[in-house]
Amino acid sequence: MSRVTSGDSSPQSLVINEAAQALREGGLVAFPTETVYGLGADASNPSAVQKVFTIKGRPSNHPLIVHVAAPEQLGHGQIDWVPVLAPWARDIPEDALKLVNAFWPGPLTLVFKKGKDVLNEITGGQDTVAVRSPAHPIAQALLHQFQGGVVAPSANRFGKVSPTSAADVRTEFEGNSDLVIIDGGDCEVGIESTIVDVSSGDRAVLLRPGVITPKEMLASISFGVITPGRS
């Protein structure tokens, strides 16, 4: 049976420490975000990333989203997200940073030109990388403790419904004894993040709709948010 850790049965700091150590050792951790539960692995570890594809039965050409911690000074004046993005993205458009400042941490994933050290296993062989900073406090605590990027597609087998509780994850991966599951209760949003491609630098393309709408994003940026086929 999978290991399930919860803030209700042990101090949350110990829960986070155990999960972060599992990530460092190349293991998998299911953790809550505000959207759905993610199946996390060290984004810089090729063998750990491969475990995500294997356990999910996910095609290797499907890119993964890198989850990053918010800056420590969040909530204290102007936030500089560039150092957070720098290991993963290059050629970061000014309007993309406006979206970051408006909606991160939160249910918005942005697609950038990938940095030179980003694993091809993460990007499905493409020259772009998807990044987001989740708003859930447990997700943020885990990312800060781990001190690295974490790929985290939804914690379900490929083609199945995305989980919104730890119970869903336990049911989906029953028998996977090496999987650490952090029980953070039910997810607030319950659907996957909005995905917007900003890699061209002069427009934003909506790749997946979510709770953050194009109308909301247009209030923050100068270039338009469009959907494929309407450019």
Side-chain angles (χ1 to χ4, degrees):
M1 196 61 187
S2 305
R3 287 178 288 162
V4 182
T5 58
S6 168
D8 294 332
S9 59
S10 62
Q12 191 178 92
S13 61
L14 296 179
V15 173
I16 299 301
N17 287 342
E18 177 188 353
Q21 186 59 35
L23 291 173
R24 295 186 194 102
E25 294 172 356
L28 301 183
V29 174
F31 63 94
T33 75
E34 73 279 17
T35 56
V36 298
Y37 271 70
L39 183 65
D42 180 355
S44 66
N45 184 332
S47 62
V49 172
Q50 184 55 51
K51 289 179 183 178
V52 172
F53 286 101
T54 300
I55 192 174
K56 281 180 63 71
R58 182 184 177 99
S60 60
N61 63 344
H62 285 222
L64 302 176
I65 297 173
V66 179
H67 293 62
V68 295
E72 293 284 1
Q73 73 270 29
L74 188 68
H76 299 281
Q78 185 63 36
I79 305 302
D80 184 8
W81 285 91
V82 173
V84 175
L85 288 168
W88 309 103
R90 58 181 173 85
D91 303 329
I92 302 169
E94 182 179 344
D95 272 349
L97 284 175
K98 290 179 181 177
L99 287 175
V100 166
N101 280 296
F103 297 105
W104 281 14
L108 175 65
T109 295
L110 296 177
V111 177
F112 300 94
K113 289 291 185 183
K114 71 174 184 178
K116 62 182 179 64
D117 295 325
V118 175
L119 297 177
N120 287 328
E121 291 87 344
I122 292 173
T123 67
Q126 300 180 34
D127 66 349
T128 55
V129 63
V131 186
R132 94 172 179 104
S133 185
H136 198 291
I138 289 178
Q140 281 293 326
L142 176 61
L143 290 164
H144 277 287
Q145 182 65 30
F146 177 62
Q147 296 186 333
V150 173
V151 293
S154 56
N156 56 275
R157 299 188 191 280
F158 186 69
K160 299 293 185 67
V161 177
S162 299
T164 57
S165 71
D168 292 340
V169 180
R170 289 194 295 271
T171 300
E172 190 75 0
F173 295 116
E174 186 174 7
N176 286 276
S177 59
D178 293 334
L179 175 62
V180 176
I181 303 174
I182 304 177
D183 189 343
D186 293 341
C187 298
E188 179 180 351
V189 175
I191 60 172
E192 285 88 349
S193 62
T194 304
I195 300 180
V196 176
D197 187 340
V198 294
S199 62
S200 71
D202 59 1
R203 64 176 181 165
V205 180
L206 180 66
L207 300 182
R208 183 175 72 189
V211 67
I212 297 176
T213 66
K215 182 178 180 180
E216 290 174 300
M217 289 183 279
L218 281 170
S220 301
I221 60 177
S222 59
F223 55 46
V225 177
I226 62 175
T227 55
R230 297 182 182 180
S231 56

